[in-house]
Amino acid sequence: MPTSPTGCPSNSRAASSSASPWRALVIEPTVLLLDEPLSNLDAKLRQEMKTEIRVLQKSLALTTIFVTHDQDEAISVSDRLVVMSAGKVEQIGTPREVFERPASAFVADFMGFANLVPVRIDGEGRGQLRNGMSIAIDKASPIRGEGLLALRAEHMSLSSQPMNGKMNATEATVETLTYRGSFIDYLVRLDDDTRLQVRGEAQSPFMPGQRTFVAWQPEAGTLVASAQA
């Protein structure tokens, strides 16, 4: 069976999809629009094509608008990101700026912050969760009053013992765990019924129903305005 330059069968949907961005280059455009170009590809080919698109775009010095609903694609092929919701621009910035400092709850959710925890900002550098726990927060945030603390699952940890005083920590109960090979994704529930997603090591799993401590460094959390604000 004949193959494409990517090694896929030339009569396959994957080959057709992977070739489509390059057909537009025949007319030597000044701006290239790619609208979900990788959506029909399998995971391995999608990764290869992201690299190819980035290399080609740089080598041709071609302005490219890449439309996607995949945050990994967005940060890996771009120099600047424009995150939009319902036709409204939520944030513009470099991939690092948007990934590390989302400007809204929508952007935080899109960029992979698995936890958006309601928090009341008591003063500079301090906040309070719904369970009454006082936590250290980002001093530089302009948000006051009610807000959301955005936390990534991989920036949190579980322990059978209380953490050191420099970390924010509270008790929780493990509800579910999902084995992912090199790590485990946990869903834990705080005493006020707040649920958090935590990514832990696969070597020492906690079991459903087990009491534990969930903790994170103060700088791991990013404050964003609540969706109602």
Side-chain angles (χ1 to χ4, degrees):
M1 180 179 293
T3 61
S4 72
T6 61
C8 294
S10 59
N11 63 346
S12 71
R13 176 190 290 185
S16 177
S17 298
S18 63
S20 58
W22 317 134
R23 296 187 186 119
L25 298 177
V26 175
I27 61 174
E28 299 183 352
T30 56
V31 178
L32 179 65
L33 172 62
L34 301 178
D35 189 357
E36 303 278 3
L38 310 182
S39 58
N40 291 330
L41 306 183
D42 61 46
K44 184 176 184 296
L45 186 55
R46 188 182 304 119
Q47 185 63 40
E48 294 174 356
M49 288 300 298
K50 282 190 295 186
T51 302
E52 285 192 31
I53 288 173
R54 187 64 170 161
V55 170
L56 186 64
Q57 187 270 335
K58 287 294 187 181
S59 65
L60 297 178
L62 179 62
T63 298
T64 305
I65 301 173
F66 190 105
V67 181
T68 182
H69 288 84
D70 185 299
Q71 62 103 345
D72 183 64
E73 289 180 11
I75 63 176
S76 60
V77 303
S78 62
D79 297 304
R80 289 187 68 78
L81 291 180
V82 180
V83 183
M84 301 182 68
S85 173
K88 173 187 173 184
V89 174
E90 294 276 342
Q91 187 172 357
I92 300 175
T94 66
R96 182 179 294 275
E97 288 169 348
V98 178
F99 185 83
E100 296 182 356
R101 292 294 175 184
S104 68
F106 177 86
V107 177
D109 181 65
F110 176 71
M111 297 309 294
F113 285 83
N115 304 295
L116 295 173
V117 185
V119 61
R120 180 170 185 80
I121 294 85
D122 293 336
E124 185 174 318
R126 300 302 303 178
Q128 189 175 64
L129 301 184
R130 290 192 307 188
N131 64 2
M133 173 189 168
S134 178
I135 61 171
I137 57 176
D138 182 8
K139 294 180 181 180
S141 173
I143 297 173
R144 296 293 180 265
E146 301 293 332
L148 295 171
L149 182 65
L151 290 162
R152 295 185 182 278
E154 60 269 28
H155 291 168
M156 309 178 74
S157 60
L158 298 180
S159 174
S160 57
Q161 302 294 328
M163 300 291 191
N164 68 64
K166 295 182 180 180
M167 297 184 72
N168 292 318
T170 186
E171 288 190 79
T173 301
V174 177
E175 288 204 330
T176 64
L177 61 87
T178 304
Y179 178 69
R180 303 287 190 185
S182 60
F183 57 86
I184 291 177
D185 282 335
Y186 294 94
L187 180 65
V188 302
R189 177 175 46 82
L190 306 187
D191 292 339
D192 64 358
D193 287 334
T194 296
R195 286 173 169 80
L196 300 175
Q197 296 182 50
V198 182
R199 181 158 293 177
E201 297 180 357
Q203 291 81 1
S204 55
F206 294 86
M207 303 307 296
Q210 185 175 347
R211 291 290 285 176
T212 183
F213 291 87
V214 56
W216 64 94
Q217 296 285 356
E219 58 270 22
T222 298
L223 285 172
V224 296
S226 61
Q228 296 78 17

